[in-house]
Amino acid sequence: MNNVLKVAVIGGDGTGPEVVAEGIKVLREISKLENINFEPTPFDIGGDRYLKTGVIISDQEIEELGKYQSILLGAVGHPDVKPGILEQGLLLKLRFAFDQYINLRPVKLFPGVETPLANKKPEDLDFVVVRENTEDMYVGTGGWMKKGTPDEVATQVALYTRKGCERCIRWAFEYTRKRNNPKGKMLTLVAKTNVLTYGHDLWWRTFQEVGADYPDVKMDYNHVDACCMWMVKNPEYYDVIVTTNMFGDIITDLAGILQGGMGVAAGGNINPEEGGTSMFEPMGGSAPKYTGLGVINPIATISAAAMLLDQAGFEKAAQRIMKSIQIVTGTKMKSQAAGKMGYSTAQVGDLVCENL
Ligand code: IPM
Ligand code: MN
């Protein structure tokens, strides 16, 4: 492994640039401590530029971004741009362009962080969701007939391929093995095989076939509705969950609020192949009303930066950041909510640097 870390940085909209600045600050600091040659390159992409130029992202920018192994993305969503335009044209565009077929969402309750679940402690909430990230209803296949009439018909196809679910399921088994949970390695497939009898049958059969290669990993299955129930009642049950794109989107918002909400939840859009470009982001969104106030929580972005390091092969550096985050949430911050942290956005970044 060489020790160069080139990162394309897209601050994006709203509070995105503010939280990304703290992610970069922590990456700079850990790079000094771990002798990493960290080279961030900013890209001016987002709602403001779209409003000025009409371009969300150009082919040339996609080509340029594709030269990077890692992208750090702040937030997508501008109050003056109709919802959906930037989400589709930027976030989903990049996920698809770079074939980032894994959406990795660690769900961990950090010390000192409030969960809406009564009587659950950090050791009870520590699992990972592996969400397929390139198929399902997200492919945009479908259409209208007789649009705008009382007889209108709309279709939105949930498309699944054998290759698509197999590569995701195999990655999830590998991940579960590597995570090596001391309570026992278990991979739970979350789907709806009792109703989606074609698409999720494909997932089910593929899960069984791939699982045969991983005798050390316990194979488990939940229907998605039951999973939502268990996640609230017994989150300590889970180790790793693998699921489809649409269900993964929904259950990771539920999981996100259990771990303390938008200020702490981070995710990675990963292309694990050699030379693949992966993208890491806080789940919080652009929070326009807090823009420029220095009150937004950067912890999720700093966690995303740690995930970025881990994916780029700097595991020890990633672990040091995760440790420092937990010192800061556990002993310093008053709350994870914007404006109630007891510190400014930049001060939280400083605290994480000091505790590395
Ligand atoms: C997420 C988001 C996106 C998704 C939106 C913004 C398109 O909700 O990353 O979970 O649905 O995947
Ligand atoms: Mn979502």
Side-chain angles (χ1 to χ4, degrees):
M1 182 184 76
N2 65 27
N3 65 340
V4 177
L5 177 67
K6 289 190 177 166
V7 179
V9 181
I10 304 175
D13 303 321
T15 50
E18 288 167 62
V19 287
V20 155
E22 301 313 307
I24 297 293
K25 186 193 276 177
V26 173
L27 284 173
R28 271 195 212 288
E29 188 64 21
I30 195 71
S31 296
K32 266 192 246 156
L33 299 170
E34 291 280 329
N35 285 316
I36 299 167
N37 261 316
F38 173 50
E39 293 175 26
T41 307
F43 282 77
D44 173 26
I45 296 169
D48 281 331
R49 196 198 58 177
Y50 169 63
L51 288 170
K52 262 185 256 151
T53 66
V55 179
I56 300 181
I57 188 162
S58 67
D59 292 346
Q60 201 195 331
E61 281 166 330
I62 295 210
E63 205 190 307
E64 193 53 38
L65 287 168
K67 295 178 188 158
Y68 289 79
Q69 183 182 9
S70 319
I71 302 173
L72 186 62
L73 173 69
V76 173
H78 194 291
D80 302 332
V81 181
K82 209 175 111 202
I85 305 262
L86 295 168
E87 289 86 342
Q88 293 269 347
L90 183 53
L91 185 62
L92 297 183
K93 176 105 180 182
L94 290 175
R95 285 179 183 171
F96 281 86
F98 297 132
D99 201 22
Q100 292 163 340
Y101 60 86
I102 301 297
N103 191 319
L104 186 63
R105 296 288 316 276
V107 183
K108 191 172 163 65
L109 182 63
F110 297 141
V113 176
E114 217 177 303
T115 170
L117 297 180
N119 307 320
K120 294 295 176 189
K121 299 188 182 56
E123 59 269 28
D124 299 321
L125 251 160
D126 188 357
F127 61 93
V128 178
V129 179
V130 177
R131 162 185 171 193
E132 201 288 321
N133 211 28
T134 58
E135 302 196 331
D136 209 343
M137 283 177 253
Y138 281 77
V139 294
T141 297
W144 296 281
M145 267 171 65
K146 303 183 183 174
K147 191 177 177 190
T149 75
D151 296 326
E152 177 163 355
V153 179
T155 58
Q156 189 91 44
V157 176
L159 182 147
Y160 307 103
T161 67
R162 167 74 199 209
K163 275 188 198 158
C165 65
E166 182 172 346
R167 64 186 183 172
C168 175
I169 288 168
R170 191 169 289 285
W171 193 90
F173 271 108
E174 289 289 335
Y175 184 89
T176 309
R177 183 177 266 176
K178 192 169 160 222
R179 180 172 148 92
N180 197 18
N181 189 338
K183 289 194 285 186
K185 300 184 279 266
M186 180 172 80
L187 180 61
T188 304
L189 171 65
V190 169
K192 188 76 182 172
T193 52
N194 53 348
V195 175
L196 305 180
T197 49
Y198 306 117
H200 289 200
D201 184 65
L202 173 61
W203 271 76
W204 171 260
R205 281 181 283 118
T206 307
F207 186 69
Q208 303 307 319
E209 283 172 39
V210 174
D213 294 341
Y214 299 85
D216 52 320
V217 176
K218 185 176 172 209
M219 292 165 66
D220 181 43
Y221 174 80
N222 281 178
H223 288 318
V224 65
D225 45 353
C227 167
C228 293
M229 229 169 53
W230 290 122
M231 207 183 268
V232 171
K233 189 167 182 291
N234 294 110
E236 63 280 4
Y237 173 78
Y238 293 109
D239 178 15
V240 181
I241 288 173
V242 64
T243 190
T244 57
N245 203 349
M246 190 75 253
F247 289 172
D249 178 46
I250 298 165
I251 68 170
T252 54
D253 261 32
L254 173 58
I257 197 68
L258 301 185
Q259 73 179 117
M262 294 310 194
V264 287
N269 303 274
I270 298 175
N271 177 333
E273 308 296 328
E274 189 69 40
T277 297
S278 300
M279 177 167 74
F280 300 84
E281 47 170 343
M283 304 317 302
S286 59
K289 70 174 177 184
Y290 296 120
T291 305
L293 301 180
V295 297
I296 197 81
N297 188 345
I299 289 291
T301 309
I302 299 169
S303 299
M307 291 176 76
L308 182 156
L309 281 169
D310 190 65
Q311 178 62 24
F314 299 100
E315 281 110 349
K316 183 163 161 255
Q319 282 162 15
R320 283 179 77 167
I321 294 178
M322 292 314 289
K323 259 205 195 125
S324 176
I325 286 176
Q326 293 177 68
I327 295 170
V328 173
T329 62
T331 66
K332 306 279 181 190
M333 294 173 77
K334 293 189 175 53
S335 158
Q336 299 303 311
K340 298 184 180 151
M341 302 185 290
Y343 298 93
S344 69
T345 306
Q347 284 172 329
V348 172
D350 292 341
L351 283 169
V352 175
C353 288
E354 284 160 27
N355 287 283
L356 285 171

